[in-house]
Amino acid sequence: MQRSLLRLSRNLAAPSAARSVLLNRVTVVNSTRQLSYSRALFNEAKKNESTEAEKPAETEAAELSPLEQELKELKEKLAVKDKEAAEFKDRYVRSLADFRNLQETTKREIKKAQDYALQKFARDLIESVDNFGHALSAVKEDSLKTNQEILQLYDGVKMTRDIFEKTLSRHGLKKIDPLDEQFDPNRHEATFETPQEGKEPGTVFYVQQPGFELNGRVLRAAKVGIVKGED
């Protein structure tokens, strides 16, 4: 009888152990399935986030109406045209400045060429004025008093010289006659110096040859004698 009870207890225990093993296997399988399912859910969520991040513009465009989409495109085109207009304006301003600089440079070059041509012509006229002076200075005072014809000729030459000098003066060519003026090295050329009573040192007391200037620019300095100072 004892043997029968022992066998019965063994038969009852065997199914219980098998059940425990089976339950353990089922638990492991369920855990694995839950882990795989969780991973699948995580990957799907991550994929959705990437898709949403890559296509925000498409989503926004899909949400806009056709009129709003057209308005947006027009604004973008207007921005591009504004940029092009600003570039064209900058080029225009630069070109205008370059053109004005060219105009000023051309004017200066033309003026310089005119002045040079006029200076050359004026220098030739100075010799004619000098010849009038030489002719008048060659006549002696005694001859003017005794000979009426020489006096008339002298007056005629002098009158011609005065008219000629006035004409030149109207066109900017003026004589430099610095008698009793202070010596100016920019306009005068000292040929000699000597003491003179009653005159300040450096004063022009004799004009050997008058000078000429054209529009304020000295063409020929006047050759003068100046008063020498006391040593």
Side-chain angles (χ1 to χ4, degrees):
M1 187 173 180
Q2 290 180 352
R3 290 179 179 177
S4 300
L5 291 173
L6 181 60
R7 289 176 181 176
L8 180 60
S9 61
R10 287 179 178 176
N11 292 331
L12 292 173
S16 298
R19 288 178 183 178
S20 299
V21 173
L22 181 61
L23 288 174
N24 290 334
R25 290 181 178 178
V26 170
T27 302
V28 172
V29 171
N30 289 336
S31 299
T32 304
R33 289 180 178 178
Q34 289 178 356
L35 181 59
S36 300
Y37 181 71
S38 298
R39 288 180 178 176
L41 290 177
F42 177 77
N43 293 332
E44 185 68 21
K46 189 174 182 181
K47 183 177 180 181
N48 292 335
E49 290 179 359
S50 300
T51 304
E52 291 178 358
E54 291 176 356
K55 299 182 179 180
E58 294 180 1
T59 304
E60 183 181 356
E63 293 177 354
L64 296 176
S65 64
L67 182 60
E68 292 175 342
Q69 184 66 24
E70 184 179 359
L71 180 61
K72 182 181 178 181
E73 293 176 357
L74 290 176
K75 287 182 178 180
E76 292 176 354
K77 291 181 180 179
L78 180 61
V80 174
K81 295 300 180 183
D82 288 341
K83 184 178 180 180
E84 292 179 354
E87 293 178 356
F88 286 139
K89 182 179 179 181
D90 182 68
R91 293 179 183 177
Y92 168 74
V93 172
R94 292 177 182 273
S95 299
L96 184 61
D98 292 339
F99 177 71
R100 289 178 177 175
N101 290 335
L102 179 61
Q103 282 184 321
E104 295 298 328
T105 303
T106 304
K107 287 181 181 179
R108 288 195 297 269
E109 294 296 332
I110 293 175
K111 183 67 166 56
K112 189 182 297 184
Q114 291 176 345
D115 290 343
Y116 176 76
L118 189 59
Q119 286 178 12
K120 186 177 180 181
F121 178 66
R123 291 180 189 277
D124 294 338
L125 292 178
I126 289 174
E127 296 180 1
S128 299
V129 177
D130 291 338
N131 291 332
F132 279 117
H134 297 329
L136 294 175
S137 61
V139 180
K140 298 180 180 179
E141 293 184 2
D142 295 338
S143 299
L144 295 176
K145 294 178 181 179
T146 59
N147 194 323
Q148 189 66 22
E149 293 181 355
I150 294 178
L151 178 61
Q152 292 177 355
L153 178 62
Y154 180 87
D155 291 339
V157 173
K158 184 179 179 181
M159 185 180 299
T160 303
R161 185 198 66 180
D162 294 341
I163 294 174
F164 187 57
E165 290 181 354
K166 289 181 180 179
T167 302
L168 296 179
S169 179
R170 285 197 302 268
H171 293 278
L173 183 63
K174 297 180 180 180
K175 180 187 288 188
I176 300 175
D177 190 2
L179 186 62
D180 294 330
E181 295 180 3
Q182 195 67 22
F183 177 75
D184 183 359
N186 296 323
R187 305 174 72 245
H188 310 148
E189 179 184 352
T191 57
F192 65 94
E193 57 180 351
T194 183
Q196 292 286 324
E197 294 183 359
K199 292 182 179 295
E200 295 182 0
T203 303
V204 177
F205 73 93
Y206 176 76
V207 179
Q208 182 178 350
Q209 184 184 52
F212 286 90
E213 60 181 3
L214 179 63
N215 295 324
R217 179 180 298 179
V218 177
L219 293 181
R220 187 182 72 184
K223 295 181 180 181
V224 297
I226 60 177
V227 179
K228 183 178 181 181
E230 296 180 359
D231 295 336

